[in-house]
Amino acid sequence: MVEYFEKFLPESSLGLTALDYDKCKLLRLVSEKSFKNYYKTLGKKDQNWIKENNFNAELGESIFMPDNNNHIKEVIVGIGEKKNFWNYAKISKFLPPGNYKIDSKLFSEEAIAISWSLENYSFKPYKNTKNNTNQQTNKNPKLSVSKKTLDKIKPILQGCYLARDLINLPANFLGPDEMERFSRSFCKYHKASFKVVKGEELKKKFPAIHMVGRASEQEPRLIDIHWGNKKNLPNVTLVGKGVTFDTGGLDIKSPKGMEIMKKDMGGAAISLGLAHAIISNKVNVNLRVLIPVVENSVSSKSMRPLDIIKTGSGIDVEIGNTDAEGRLILADAFNEAKQKDTDLLIDFATLTGAARIALGTELPVFFTNNDFIADKLISLGEKVSDPLWRLPLHKPYERFLIRDNGSLSSTGSNAYGGAITAALFLSKFIGDQDNWVHLDLMAWNQTSQPGRPQGGEAMSLRAIYEFLINYEKN
């Protein structure tokens, strides 16, 4: 993974190209209504060909239009309703290898290219026989777009691919040590500053991170990345939960529940993917990325239920279920975030099953203490087809977090509303930060859908990027 950025995702890997349009086959996208108008402009020969093939421009239908030499001159594809972003992802499945250009006044080139590229993603780095590398041959069709469009969306797509790759990697390929090495490579590529805290310094300054990760063979650590230092720009801090594997600790998960827990560093992966897009497109912010990295393992050093941790902020926390480790490492990372001027704090975390029960696995939950930000995020998420939904920071539930011994419970005393109590717990560590967004997400597609293959997913990345490109200090 250290070499990842030395050969980082060219356009061809994304399924896109900026080839001269004259070298590309025509790809005509039509709705049923626009096709009827187009049909009237065709000659009798083409009309008869369409009739013989019973093409009606319904969603998913395609037809190859021949020229006088029976070569393909264009492909017509029925794309359905105008605003269904994910319909674009299906287009490439109808096409043979080659380079294509879009002919459509109905649909945005940028939206089509993003959806097309997200469908093009494949994670196949391993081999299933001695001599078979099982690598993707990349014979998929390529979509040619304008250089302006490609320059704009390439870093966003690379960020999504990066996040998916990191999440999909097995834990024996991406533990805390590998995450540190990868982050160093990331910073070298982007000329960003890099710092890591571990060992005795971590134990002293970030005791919650240390306690969660101390049972693992690979020691816990906090990664700190900085990019940009302009006084007139907002300071944005991203925090990504980096649990490279989660057994649940002494409150161990079931075999099935543990199966995909390599994805528990999905928050870290998304924060790095988003950081790549921000830095590559030179978004007008000063960026800081904090990634607490641990493996929640089982050993004689494991934290125990009802242990008390004095967190880095000085707040005493009583451990509830040891499987609720993510909020503990985020708490110490938040305390570090507030040591420097931060105009906006956003954290990404695969935090609670309660959020999945509330909204399912495909719709990330978010909490915020700023109503303007909430409305904007929902609107932008819909705009870019990367939806988010807000749940309340319901203050009365704070009573479930207070223990009789005076400490703060990590899980609370009530089995209901777990996503809310987790967010309320985190809110105790942000200080006076009044622009805070907490994203509780799955970071994993349970099944494959157009543009969203089964496996790791960069949920919320595009929505948050869209929010940040126009973000200004309040």
Side-chain angles (χ1 to χ4, degrees):
M1 290 301 293
V2 176
E3 295 79 22
Y4 189 89
F5 284 94
E6 294 176 6
K7 51 182 179 180
F8 190 55
L9 295 177
E11 291 90 343
S12 59
S13 296
L14 302 173
L16 303 175
T17 177
L19 277 177
D20 189 330
Y21 283 170
D22 291 339
K23 298 178 180 179
C24 302
K25 296 183 180 71
L26 184 65
L27 182 60
R28 190 180 300 278
L29 309 183
V30 293
S31 65
E32 292 183 45
K33 181 179 178 181
S34 68
F35 175 68
K36 289 178 181 178
N37 295 329
Y38 173 66
Y39 180 82
K40 295 174 184 178
T41 69
L42 297 175
K44 199 67 176 176
K45 180 182 176 181
D46 286 339
Q47 288 183 346
N48 288 337
W49 176 257
I50 289 170
K51 285 181 181 178
E52 288 173 8
N53 284 277
N54 197 30
F55 178 79
N56 296 300
E58 294 177 0
L59 174 62
E61 277 194 313
S62 62
I63 186 170
F64 297 88
M65 300 297 292
D67 60 18
N68 292 330
N69 297 315
N70 289 323
H71 296 141
I72 297 173
K73 66 177 180 181
E74 71 175 61
V75 183
I76 307 177
V77 179
I79 201 64
E81 55 183 301
K82 180 178 179 180
K83 293 184 180 180
N84 193 330
F85 173 85
W86 295 113
N87 283 349
Y88 310 143
K90 302 176 183 179
I91 300 170
S92 63
K93 299 304 182 186
F94 311 139
L95 305 174
N99 297 310
Y100 295 84
K101 61 181 178 181
I102 300 166
D103 184 351
S104 177
K105 295 181 176 64
L106 293 176
F107 310 103
S108 156
E109 180 183 65
E110 181 179 320
I112 294 169
I114 291 174
S115 184
W116 172 295
S117 182
L118 292 176
E119 173 69 14
N120 191 72
Y121 175 84
S122 178
F123 183 77
K124 293 184 179 180
Y126 308 114
K127 56 186 179 182
N128 51 35
T129 66
K130 184 176 181 180
N131 298 317
N132 175 24
T133 62
N134 201 25
Q135 294 282 0
Q136 184 184 15
T137 57
N138 215 5
K139 292 182 179 179
N140 294 340
K142 303 291 189 297
L143 182 66
S144 185
V145 296
S146 69
K147 187 177 184 303
K148 180 180 178 181
T149 294
L150 186 59
D151 288 346
K152 178 181 179 182
I153 67 174
K154 179 180 173 181
I156 302 167
L157 291 167
Q158 287 177 327
C160 291
Y161 273 47
L162 165 60
R164 287 175 171 182
D165 281 350
L166 290 174
I167 298 167
N168 283 327
L169 280 168
N172 63 318
F173 279 75
L174 188 68
D177 290 346
E178 291 80 15
M179 181 65 86
E180 178 184 333
R181 288 199 293 269
F182 180 81
S183 298
R184 286 183 185 275
S185 180
F186 177 94
C187 290
K188 181 179 179 181
Y189 178 85
H190 283 298
K191 296 180 173 58
S193 67
F194 174 87
K195 178 184 177 183
V196 63
V197 180
K198 53 187 176 181
E200 286 301 314
E201 185 182 4
L202 184 84
K203 186 177 181 180
K204 179 180 178 181
K205 294 183 178 179
F206 307 102
I209 298 174
H210 175 265
M211 179 174 270
V212 171
R214 69 187 185 185
S216 173
E217 291 182 354
Q218 294 191 25
E219 63 180 322
R221 64 208 72 194
L222 178 69
I223 291 169
D224 191 349
I225 296 169
H226 283 264
W227 173 80
N229 188 31
K230 295 183 179 179
K231 291 183 179 180
N232 60 327
L233 295 181
N235 298 313
V236 175
T237 299
L238 309 179
V239 179
K241 174 187 169 185
V243 180
T244 60
F245 193 81
D246 182 18
T247 65
L250 292 180
D251 289 315
I252 197 164
K253 294 177 182 288
S254 68
K256 195 64 181 174
M258 201 188 299
E259 188 173 73
I260 59 170
M261 281 300 104
K262 65 179 184 178
K263 79 171 186 68
D264 213 19
M265 39 60 67
I270 293 168
S271 66
L272 283 171
L274 177 59
H276 172 78
I278 290 169
I279 297 171
S280 298
N281 274 343
K282 296 181 173 58
V283 175
N284 288 324
V285 298
N286 297 317
L287 183 65
R288 188 183 191 192
V289 183
L290 292 169
I291 305 176
V293 186
V294 301
E295 182 176 351
N296 189 18
S297 300
V298 179
S299 78
S300 61
K301 296 180 180 179
S302 296
M303 62 179 174
R304 297 160 291 252
L306 301 189
D307 277 356
I308 301 289
I309 306 175
K310 185 175 288 292
T311 61
S313 66
I315 297 174
D316 292 322
V317 171
E318 183 181 84
I319 305 302
N321 192 304
T322 63
D323 195 20
E325 82 296 330
R327 64 200 69 184
L328 299 173
I329 65 174
L330 291 176
D332 267 1
F334 285 0
N335 186 59
E336 173 59 26
K338 69 186 183 185
Q339 303 308 312
K340 296 184 179 180
D341 183 30
T342 300
D343 298 300
L344 175 64
L345 174 64
I346 305 176
D347 73 270
F348 304 84
T350 50
L351 206 67
T352 69
R356 314 288 78 79
I357 292 169
L359 297 182
T361 61
E362 297 172 14
L363 183 58
V365 164
F366 79 94
F367 298 84
T368 181
N369 52 6
N370 186 304
D371 291 339
F372 172 80
I373 290 177
D375 293 342
K376 196 73 174 173
L377 285 178
I378 292 173
S379 173
L380 291 174
E382 288 297 320
K383 174 186 173 183
V384 299
S385 297
D386 191 14
L388 305 167
W389 197 253
R390 186 187 190 185
L391 287 183
L393 288 162
H394 188 56
K395 292 290 186 181
Y397 287 175
E398 287 183 345
R399 70 186 189 276
F400 300 130
L401 295 172
I402 306 303
R403 302 296 289 161
D404 290 341
N405 60 16
S407 68
L408 186 70
S409 171
S410 65
T411 55
S413 57
N414 193 303
Y416 300 101
I420 297 174
T421 52
L424 289 169
F425 173 86
L426 291 175
S427 71
K428 301 298 182 184
F429 298 90
I430 63 172
D432 59 0
Q433 175 57 252
D434 55 7
N435 295 315
W436 169 54
V437 180
H438 161 56
L439 290 127
D440 188 340
L441 37 79
M442 181 71 173
W444 188 267
N445 295 320
Q446 297 282 69
T447 59
S448 290
Q449 298 183 78
R452 293 149 292 176
Q454 184 177 16
E457 186 54 271
M459 292 175 173
S460 78
L461 188 155
R462 292 183 296 111
I464 299 298
Y465 175 84
E466 195 73 14
F467 176 75
L468 289 177
I469 56 176
N470 293 309
Y471 181 74
E472 297 178 358
K473 295 182 183 181
N474 288 347

